[in-house]
Amino acid sequence: MPLALLALAVSAFGIGTTEFVMMGLLPEVADDLGTSVPTAGHLVSAYAIGVVVGAPLLTAVGSRIPRKRMLLLLMALFTVGNLASAVAPGFGWLLGGRFLAGLPHGAFFGVGAVVAARLVPEGRRARAVATMFLGLTVANVVGVPAATLLGQHLGWRATFLVVAAIGLCALAALARLVPRLPLDAHQGLGRELRALGDRQVLLGLLTAVFGFAGVFAVYSYLSSMTTEVMGFGESAVTPVLALFGIGMTLGALAAGPLTDRALRPTLYGSLGALAVVLAVFPFAVQVRWAAPVLVVLLGGVGFMTTTPLQMLVMNKAKDAPTLASASNHSAFNLANAGGAWLGGAAIAAGWGWTSPAPVGAALAVVGLAVAVTAGLLDRERTPGTSRVVARADARPAREDAPVDAR
């Protein structure tokens, strides 16, 4: 694998750390800024809103910017957003800093996925994209717990200073290791918008919204389930969250080669497995030895959906994949917000701490139904050519422009 993928993974590590660390620092932030924990929770929403807004907006604005330069600009904006968060004098300023840090998230992963796919031979492109996403999963295993502990002992501002330092390291790695990719002759906003309007792209985004919402219906309340249902103490919360991150990492490692081999079957299988895991979760999670296993499985099958979904929208957007790829991360963050809201509504209705799991299972089934419908429609569009369709699904559109590795 090219070293440029390492630079993309380091960048993803920083982005993943700042995205999820706020959940563990809400009490410290609320106490320091004189607000309540529920109000401080708006800082999580501010980042997610930044992702949803920034993914299509910044990708559109940068549609004529060479991709390496775009990656550098986005990582610079990410670093500035975390510095602004670290020095924020009050809650409103911190809210703005979180929104600013979230703006480049989706656009970076969208552009980064296209770059990663271009750096390797045709049959290894899904593995290259999954390698970039490994930085995101490792952040949940190492970055988030370490950054949370740092914030608890040295103050939450120290956490964002460290994340900003990671951003600077990522900038240096991107500048040194990522080759200059020539601006495609067809690259432009009009073509990207037309590609985004493709029926298969839209169905892929809809699959992400419903399928991934099933994961976050449970993950958002995993800390409370650890103490209220699994029977563990508060000290077990961090290890349980790390187990979820380990599952994510294993899922990402498996998703790459499986997606290169058979995209749609990997997507169907991961969504079906997610529905099953969520369906048995309320029962198995009450058994102490089974609960950690279910957490790992939930992270694994949940994150296995991300690589095939990313490759699907890139493939179907053909030679203008950047906006569709970035919009996929807007879809994932809508799934995060929607899944958390629906899971919280089930708990608020008095259905119990495990009630988000069957809600998540239903969402995963809806996502699977959308994915299967999209697959059937794709075959109908090209009748009698199922082998050709399957092969097209297994690789992105060819880009023949040479890479300048200088």
Side-chain angles (χ1 to χ4, degrees):
M1 286 288 183
L3 284 176
L5 293 178
L6 176 61
L8 293 171
V10 170
S11 304
F13 176 84
I15 292 173
T17 299
T18 204
E19 179 181 14
F20 293 107
V21 75
M22 182 55 74
M23 299 174 187
L25 293 178
L26 290 180
E28 285 74 21
V29 173
D31 183 63
D32 185 53
L33 298 181
T35 188
S36 67
V37 170
T39 300
H42 295 159
L43 296 167
V44 177
S45 301
Y47 186 93
I49 293 171
V51 177
V52 173
V53 172
L57 180 62
L58 294 182
T59 304
V61 170
S63 61
R64 296 298 300 172
I65 299 175
R67 284 169 178 150
K68 177 176 181 177
R69 187 182 303 168
M70 187 64 178
L71 288 174
L72 292 171
L73 290 172
L74 291 169
M75 186 49 56
L77 181 59
F78 168 82
T79 304
V80 170
N82 281 282
L83 281 173
S85 298
V87 301
F91 182 76
W93 287 97
L94 181 55
L95 204 66
R98 289 290 291 169
F99 176 80
L100 186 63
L103 279 175
H105 176 126
F108 184 91
F109 279 115
V111 177
V114 174
V115 170
R118 288 196 58 181
L119 293 172
V120 296
E122 195 172 274
R124 299 182 63 86
R125 290 180 175 175
R127 270 167 279 196
V129 173
T131 299
M132 179 184 70
F133 284 139
L134 274 177
L136 189 63
T137 66
V138 172
N140 280 273
V141 180
V142 179
V144 173
T148 301
L149 287 174
L150 179 69
Q152 290 170 344
H153 288 85
L154 299 180
W156 59 270
R157 296 180 188 276
T159 295
F160 292 109
L161 284 174
V162 169
V163 174
I166 295 173
L168 290 174
C169 292
L171 270 171
L174 291 169
R176 179 69 182 86
L177 299 176
V178 174
R180 289 188 293 176
L181 302 174
L183 189 67
D184 298 329
H186 58 258
Q187 192 175 335
L189 179 57
R191 197 177 186 102
E192 293 280 356
L193 288 172
R194 286 193 296 273
L196 185 61
D198 181 88
R199 181 175 65 180
Q200 287 294 318
V201 173
L202 294 175
L203 287 172
L205 297 177
L206 193 61
T207 301
V209 170
F210 282 103
F212 212 64
V215 179
F216 269 80
V218 172
Y219 178 70
S220 301
Y221 305 98
L222 196 55
S223 297
S224 297
M225 290 184 194
T226 300
T227 56
E228 301 293 335
V229 181
M230 299 179 194
F232 297 119
E234 290 187 3
S235 60
V237 170
T238 297
V240 168
L241 293 177
L243 286 175
F244 183 86
I246 291 171
M248 291 174 65
T249 303
L250 295 175
L253 288 170
L258 288 173
T259 302
D260 276 328
R261 182 179 296 272
L263 192 156
R264 287 197 190 273
T266 301
L267 179 58
Y268 300 157
S270 58
L271 286 171
L274 176 61
V276 171
V277 169
L278 287 168
V280 303
F281 195 89
F283 311 101
V285 80
Q286 300 185 52
V287 181
R288 287 178 70 92
W289 67 265
V293 175
L294 261 292
V295 171
V296 174
L297 285 175
L298 178 61
V301 297
F303 209 79
M304 273 188 70
T305 64
T306 58
T307 298
L309 280 169
Q310 188 74 37
M311 295 304 298
L312 179 65
V313 297
M314 288 168 59
N315 294 351
K316 295 305 177 182
K318 297 179 181 177
D319 54 358
T322 309
L323 183 57
S325 179
S327 296
N328 203 36
H329 291 274
S330 290
F332 283 138
N333 274 269
L334 286 174
N336 296 356
W341 180 76
L342 289 171
I347 294 171
W351 297 345
W353 283 108
T354 60
S355 60
V359 171
L363 290 168
V365 169
V366 173
L368 177 59
V370 174
V372 171
T373 301
L376 293 174
L377 290 173
D378 203 21
R379 288 193 175 191
E380 289 177 5
R381 186 168 62 179
T382 52
T385 58
S386 59
R387 290 186 181 180
V388 174
V389 173
R391 180 166 176 162
D393 281 350
R395 67 178 191 233
R398 179 179 173 88
E399 292 188 71
D400 294 320
V403 174
D404 181 359
R406 288 177 294 171

